[in-house]
Amino acid sequence: QVQLVESGGGLVQAGGSLRLSCAASGSILSSSIMGWYRQAPGKQRELVATMSRGGSTNYADSVKGRFTISRANARNTVYLQMNSLKPEDTAVYYCNCRFGFGEYWGQGTQVTVSS
């Protein structure tokens, strides 16, 4: 069983930055596909960014050039650096891990961007 704990959400003005963290139980990051998803009120959960086992990254078009996913294997932590935030980035952000045959989710962290 993999446990994921997100942190770093909060309230920020448009144009500001936040860094989300996702701490995973155990040394699994280099063997996992890690991702960040978000869900805004009344909308479906959507992909924000992913990182493969080899470190390749993929981003939603809406966040390309503004968000960066990274990981620190020694800390068992994945990050999402969010710059130039927009009100439409407001959502609950979830960390996702695909390890072995399992898929795991964190509890989510709220990001609110005011205009």
Side-chain angles (χ1 to χ4, degrees):
Q1 186 75 10
V2 175
Q3 293 184 328
L4 303 172
V5 179
E6 300 105 333
S7 61
L11 173 64
V12 64
Q13 289 188 332
S17 298
L18 283 174
R19 188 177 79 159
L20 305 183
S21 299
C22 171
S25 58
S27 302
I28 60 169
L29 293 191
S30 61
S31 301
S32 303
I33 299 172
M34 301 299 299
W36 287 96
Y37 291 72
R38 68 186 181 186
Q39 188 167 17
K43 295 187 177 181
Q44 290 188 333
R45 191 172 297 188
E46 64 176 3
L47 170 72
V48 176
T50 60
M51 176 174 279
S52 71
R53 297 177 186 87
S56 299
T57 57
N58 181 55
Y59 297 93
D61 288 343
S62 59
V63 307
K64 281 180 182 177
R66 300 189 298 123
F67 290 12
T68 303
I69 186 171
S70 62
R71 70 186 184 206
N73 290 344
R75 298 180 179 179
N76 301 320
T77 301
V78 175
Y79 303 98
L80 184 68
Q81 178 67 44
M82 305 186 294
N83 299 328
S84 303
L85 283 161
K86 304 175 181 180
E88 51 264 42
D89 295 318
T90 295
V92 178
Y93 284 70
Y94 297 90
C95 181
N96 174 270
C97 171
R98 280 175 274 169
F99 175 68
F101 296 104
E103 183 174 21
Y104 306 93
W105 294 91
Q107 82 286 355
T109 185
Q110 176 70 46
V111 171
T112 302
V113 185
S114 63
S115 58

